[in-house]
Amino acid sequence: MLDRDEADGAETPDTGDDIHALFHGAPKTTEFRKLRKRIIRETREAIDRYGMVDRAPGAPRQKWLVCLSGGKDSYTLLAALTELQWRGLLPVDILACNLDQGQPGFPATVLPEFLQRMGVPHRIEYADTYSIVVDKVPQGRTYCALCSRLRRGNLYRIAREEGCSAVVLGHHRDDILETFFLNLFHGGKLATMPPKLLNDEGDLMVLRPLAHVAEEDCEAFSRAMSYPIIPCDLCGSQDGLQRQVIKRMLDEWEAKAPGRRGKMFSALMNARPSHLLDPALFDFAGLAATSAADGPGA
């Protein structure tokens, strides 16, 4: 487990009960220790880089609604945030939340039992959005867009009821890259999931602290910790999703040129408006060369 020194780079071994329950049973291998440290470091980097925590003197303590779907990404998110909080590096209160959307066969007891056993403050909410999605979406079309909107609306409501300042999601680096290419190929715009976003009503932040964390690290971490993964059968059972096409494309690129995903993600953090074509971002019309007559010796 990380202490304050280890989170800054120094090594501290696991000792006795000086760990949060979410990390009980963690593998003792060097490989897992490096994986865990990398996830914690990258999560902390994203929180700091994008100003997710108000650290101004006298600022009230924040409360985050951490959304838990039961997938590998949300378990990794909860563990990373809880670890940072446990070590005094994340001065916020965490409320884990699962929204049971009424999917047939959803194992409704898995997350409540897990969160209770881990001693994590939580709220389980039932809202049958599944029936609405199935009724409204034409046959052959994907459910994702409507499902996401309904889920987000319920999460905003819960956050307000619980006095939270932010809704915290488990989207990782690969989600962000895939969204960028979806917008590029199908939306005709350069845009992706921002790590920090103010909702339309202006009263809640939407945060993505795993923005720098690779999907394969989330998968390896959750598998090593044996967290009870719940698959998303509602969307994952549908064929032909464009996101899956993009994911396969990125996988092929990564296989041919290892490290390609990392390079592309770095590009998203290194935008140059003057080298793109959007006059709303750069004043091309006002750009003018200095006349030779105005130079030295004129």
Side-chain angles (χ1 to χ4, degrees), residues 48-279:
D48 291 343
R49 181 184 183 95
Y50 304 110
M52 296 184 187
V53 177
D54 185 356
R55 301 182 186 274
R61 186 175 177 87
Q62 296 172 260
K63 184 178 181 182
W64 287 1
L65 188 77
V66 178
C67 303
L68 194 66
S69 67
K72 65 183 187 307
D73 310 326
S74 61
Y75 278 120
T76 302
L77 172 69
L78 179 64
L81 295 181
T82 301
E83 178 63 11
L84 288 170
Q85 181 199 54
W86 182 259
R87 300 300 171 184
L89 300 171
L90 182 63
V92 303
D93 295 324
I94 292 174
L95 178 68
C97 177
N98 171 249
L99 180 65
D100 181 345
Q101 297 179 259
Q103 298 178 34
F106 182 79
T109 63
V110 169
L111 283 169
E113 291 176 355
F114 172 81
L115 293 168
Q116 184 69 32
R117 189 168 65 252
M118 296 296 108
V120 175
H122 62 277
R123 173 171 169 175
I124 306 297
E125 184 82 3
Y126 179 81
D128 184 9
T129 63
Y130 176 84
S131 297
I132 299 174
V133 170
V134 172
D135 179 62
K136 298 295 184 182
V137 177
Q139 188 173 4
R141 300 288 297 275
T142 58
Y143 299 148
C144 294
L146 179 57
C147 178
S148 178
R149 286 198 299 272
L150 293 174
R151 181 171 61 247
R152 190 67 59 85
N154 276 285
L155 292 173
Y156 285 170
R157 170 182 58 80
I158 296 167
R160 294 183 183 109
E161 291 174 357
E162 295 290 346
C164 296
S165 61
V167 172
V168 186
L169 307 175
H171 295 126
H172 46 64
R173 182 198 70 179
D174 297 77
D175 288 325
I176 290 173
L177 277 175
E178 290 160 13
T179 301
F180 171 79
F181 281 103
L182 282 169
N183 282 320
L184 180 67
F185 295 157
H186 302 285
K189 58 185 176 183
L190 296 180
T192 188
M193 297 173 172
K196 181 180 180 181
L197 174 71
L198 184 64
N199 71 337
D200 291 340
E201 294 77 8
D203 64 334
L204 291 169
M205 286 292 177
V206 178
L207 306 177
R208 297 181 172 93
L210 295 186
H212 293 179
V213 179
E215 180 178 17
E216 63 179 359
D217 282 351
C218 294
E219 183 173 359
F221 178 82
S222 295
R223 184 174 62 249
M225 292 303 305
S226 298
Y227 291 143
I229 303 298
I230 300 174
C232 179
D233 294 324
L234 176 62
C235 300
S237 62
Q238 292 181 290
D239 296 327
L241 289 174
Q242 289 301 322
R243 184 173 290 275
Q244 298 304 317
V245 175
I246 296 294
K247 185 184 288 289
R248 288 194 294 270
M249 179 193 75
L250 295 177
D251 286 342
E252 291 173 3
W253 288 359
E254 186 72 20
K256 292 178 181 178
R260 179 66 58 84
R261 271 190 170 94
K263 287 291 186 183
M264 290 187 292
F265 188 79
S266 294
L268 293 180
M269 298 189 290
N270 189 27
R272 298 185 180 183
S274 64
H275 287 56
L276 296 173
L277 284 77
D278 189 346

